[in-house]
Amino acid sequence: MSDLAFGIDIGGSGIKGAPVDLTVGDYAEKRTRIPTPQPSTPQAVADVLAELVDTYHLPDDVPIGVAFPAPMQHGVVRSMANLDQSWTGVDLPGLVQRATGRHVVAVNDADAAGVGEVRYGAARDADGVVLVATLGTGIGSALVVDGVLVPNTELGHLEIDGHDAESRAADSAREREDLSWEDWAERLQRYFGVVEDLLSPDLIVVGGGVSKHHEKYLPHLHLRAPIVPAQLRNAAGIVGAAALAAGR
């Protein structure tokens, strides 16, 4: 296993990447951001990824981990919401490997962030079942059992009380409906309570931009499992993807 890997986080507006020092779980050099091409077709994005990697002077054997905003099965994109629809059915690792000439691992962005938190962040010393939930426009989820990722859980799309869970409990719902922190916490209590009954996690980690305001809502939640804020914040996806690419 290498101590250096390159992590990439692909979003609808920007593509970010950096070499990651896997001994500490942090950037080995400053992160670079390039706007996502429009239209965001697979080849256009692959060309940007090659440009991003070439920004750095990396040994030829440094692998690439890609955090991607869609569910994937064995590297193949199953569906697409935030990028060009032509992504559906694309073998992402194969595409990026052809563009860069490097070994590539690709996972859903929520899964990548979850692995980052388990390897290096808020769940670093946790055993058993860890749920990492990313609260943002939707609810991303990553489930890690004894250090092993269970990919593509998509727990934000559970139907709870007749609603898609993220339509009621995501941070975007709080903003859209101008909910108080306490009122939003009631919805999070309902959401996490259902998830807890299904999976019995030993630890729940809450990520996303709203995690920096965790003291305003997490104390209102009463669950069996401890629930804590994420630590890696915006670096989680890049770090987690890099760790997976290096076989960590």
Side-chain angles (χ1 to χ4, degrees), residues 122-124 126-132 200-205 225-228:
R124 185 170 187 170
D127 296 321
V129 179
V130 177
L131 171 68
V132 181
S200 298
D202 296 291
L203 176 68
I204 301 171
V205 178
I227 184 165
V228 299

Side-chain angles (χ1 to χ4, degrees), residues 43-69:
Q43 190 57 54
V45 170
D47 291 343
V48 169
L49 300 192
E51 176 188 349
L52 188 61
V53 173
D54 288 344
T55 302
Y56 301 87
H57 299 289
L58 301 172
D60 292 339
D61 61 348
V62 170
I64 296 173
V66 181
F68 195 70

Side-chain angles (χ1 to χ4, degrees), residues 144-223:
V144 182
V145 181
D146 291 330
V148 178
L149 174 68
V150 181
N152 296 315
T153 47
E154 297 290 335
L155 295 174
H157 293 300
L158 287 173
E159 183 178 320
I160 299 176
D161 300 329
H163 299 276
D164 190 63
E166 67 180 19
S167 72
R168 298 265 301 160
D171 187 43
S172 59
R174 179 187 65 83
E175 293 180 337
R176 182 177 63 250
E177 300 180 41
D178 195 26
L179 298 173
S180 68
W181 293 107
E182 290 80 4
D183 288 342
W184 186 50
E186 288 185 11
R187 297 190 181 187
L188 291 178
Q189 175 70 38
R190 176 64 177 145
Y191 171 70
F192 284 119
V194 169
V195 173
E196 187 170 52
D197 286 344
L198 288 172
L199 299 173
S200 298
D202 296 291
L203 176 68
I204 301 171
V205 178
V206 174
V210 75
S211 65
K212 63 178 175 285
H213 302 297
H214 61 89
E215 73 284 349
K216 297 181 179 179
Y217 59 92
L218 288 189
H220 297 288
L221 302 183
H222 304 286
L223 303 162

Side-chain angles (χ1 to χ4, degrees), residues 48-108:
V48 169
L49 300 192
E51 176 188 349
L52 188 61
V53 173
D54 288 344
T55 302
Y56 301 87
H57 299 289
L58 301 172
D60 292 339
D61 61 348
V62 170
I64 296 173
V66 181
F68 195 70
M72 286 185 291
Q73 193 162 16
H74 307 299
V76 177
V77 180
R78 295 201 334 238
S79 62
M80 176 48 64
N82 297 328
L83 299 175
D84 194 86
Q85 290 301 305
S86 60
W87 274 99
T88 302
V90 169
D91 172 8
L92 180 54
L95 175 71
V96 180
Q97 186 165 354
R98 289 190 294 273
T100 63
R102 296 175 182 273
H103 171 71
V104 179
V105 170
V107 295
N108 170 266

